[in-house]
Amino acid sequence: MIQKKKICIAGATGFVGLELIKKIYFHPYVEIKYLFVKESIEDDIYKSLPKNIKNLPSLKKIDSKSISECDVFFSALPHAEIFKIVNEVYNLNPNTVIIDLSADFRLPNVTEYEKWYKVKHDSIQLQKSAVYGLSEIYRDKIKKANVISCPGCYPTSILLPLIPLLEKNMIDESEIIADSKSGYSGAGKKIYDQKLYPNIDENLAIYGVGHHRHMPEIDFYLSQFSKQKIQISFTPHLIPTFRGILSTIYIKSKKNIKDLSNCLMDKYNDEFFVEIIENKMINTNNVINTNKCNIAIYKNRSENNYIISSSIDNLLKGASGQAIQNFNIRFNFNENLGLI
């Protein structure tokens, strides 16, 4: 009989934290021991959860000692918040597995992190042991990691289709353009501040142009599969829908479309959560509320030009779903558990 893993979740009332609860509550090998919030513990968490989720632990303020009692600590806190507690947790119990959904452990180069996030990195030792949690790509490393850093939502949608093509040297590395559109939940609960985000249900907005914080993450992990340092052109947009990401990626290649498509299929043929779609336009509706990534590739009218589209649910495959997938990988559970 498999013993249940005791887990705790910080940031339990945020969009990502709630999605994590909705899924992992039904995981057969999980006991939710603590739910932590950064601020108010007066929130009625059940207002945002399905009626068949019951008997959760009461919300409480973040406490390192309580976290250290758990097998796994899921942190859905904003960037730089985990530094205040994670070092103490590690000192209390170095065997607690940390699965972080913020950006704090994604970039191995701490100087680069501090440049883009404008904050001092206070967990450098843990950063050295962190593994990037892009599940289908870094599975072997995730299996052995005690600090797993889940990718950003935009990077997940861009890295999954591009890494296999770069790995096989099939595309021009010097000219890659990614145009991504995300539901407004990607901005977190601050989107309800009308001064920052007026008319979110009737508006399409470009943002972070030329300086979005996911850019160094995308560039770094693409470069790991290339012979040169890659800098892509990346532009994000918020669209008037709550969840979902569709990334449109423009590439150049001297290969034909069949070769490119076969490369992606060979890479993901045995992957449950990645599907290569042929002869069909993809959309976000088919991936919403799933941990799936759908990928399609099309011939552009100009010679050697192709268009890739990639769709995910930003709150699941782009966040909490991938975190659960990484949890399953780490503890040698079926990767589907809690996700279908």
Side-chain angles (χ1 to χ4, degrees), residues 108-325:
N109 186 327
V110 169
T111 303
E112 190 80 352
Y113 169 86
E114 293 176 344
K115 170 187 167 185
W116 283 86
Y117 287 87
K118 313 297 182 191
V119 65
K120 187 176 185 300
H121 199 296
D122 283 337
S123 299
I124 293 175
Q125 285 305 116
L126 284 177
Q127 172 60 60
K128 290 177 181 177
S129 65
V131 167
Y132 191 60
L134 190 61
S135 305
E136 286 77 15
I137 305 299
Y138 292 99
R139 183 177 282 114
D140 289 344
K141 291 183 178 181
I142 293 166
K143 288 177 180 178
K144 304 170 186 175
N146 271 16
V147 181
I148 300 167
S149 178
C150 296
C153 49
Y154 287 126
T156 296
S157 70
I158 293 168
L159 295 172
L160 284 174
L162 288 180
I163 283 174
L165 300 173
L166 288 167
E167 201 171 26
K168 298 296 184 182
N169 196 30
M170 298 190 77
I171 60 176
D172 184 345
E173 300 159 321
S174 64
E175 194 168 346
I176 301 171
I177 301 168
D179 180 297
S180 298
K181 295 172 175 63
S182 172
Y184 53 77
S185 59
K189 284 195 170 180
K190 66 184 178 182
I191 53 117
Y192 292 122
D193 184 340
Q194 287 297 302
K195 292 180 181 178
L196 290 173
Y197 295 94
N199 305 319
I200 55 176
D201 290 321
E202 302 174 348
N203 197 13
L204 183 105
I206 191 170
Y207 72 108
V209 181
H211 59 83
H212 192 278
R213 286 169 169 171
H214 282 165
M215 294 173 78
E217 180 183 344
I218 296 167
D219 290 347
F220 177 82
Y221 288 101
L222 288 180
S223 298
Q224 302 308 296
F225 297 88
S226 168
K227 294 175 182 174
Q228 65 182 54
K229 185 177 179 181
I230 291 178
Q231 278 194 336
I232 76 166
S233 295
F234 166 63
T235 307
H237 306 75
L238 288 181
I239 58 176
T241 186
F242 180 68
R243 61 199 298 165
I245 282 179
L246 182 66
S247 286
T248 305
I249 307 164
Y250 301 87
I251 60 169
K252 291 186 174 182
S253 175
K254 293 181 180 178
K255 303 291 183 179
N256 61 48
I257 193 164
K258 190 64 178 172
D259 290 338
L260 297 173
S261 184
N262 284 343
C263 175
L264 293 173
M265 287 184 176
D266 288 345
K267 182 71 173 180
Y268 297 120
N269 187 52
D270 296 325
E271 297 291 348
F272 182 83
F273 292 118
V274 180
E275 185 175 359
I276 311 304
I277 310 292
E278 289 191 288
N279 304 316
K280 187 177 178 182
M281 297 291 176
I282 67 171
N283 55 62
T284 57
N285 194 55
N286 288 336
V287 295
I288 294 301
N289 294 314
T290 79
N291 195 52
K292 292 270 191 178
C293 175
N294 285 351
I295 300 170
I297 185 164
Y298 319 95
K299 180 76 179 74
N300 204 350
R301 62 181 181 175
S302 302
E303 187 178 2
N304 299 333
N305 280 258
Y306 297 89
I307 301 168
I308 298 171
S309 59
S310 171
S311 60
I312 64 170
D313 184 325
N314 57 297
L315 295 177
L316 286 170
K317 187 58 173 172
S320 59
Q322 191 157 219
I324 294 171
Q325 187 178 356

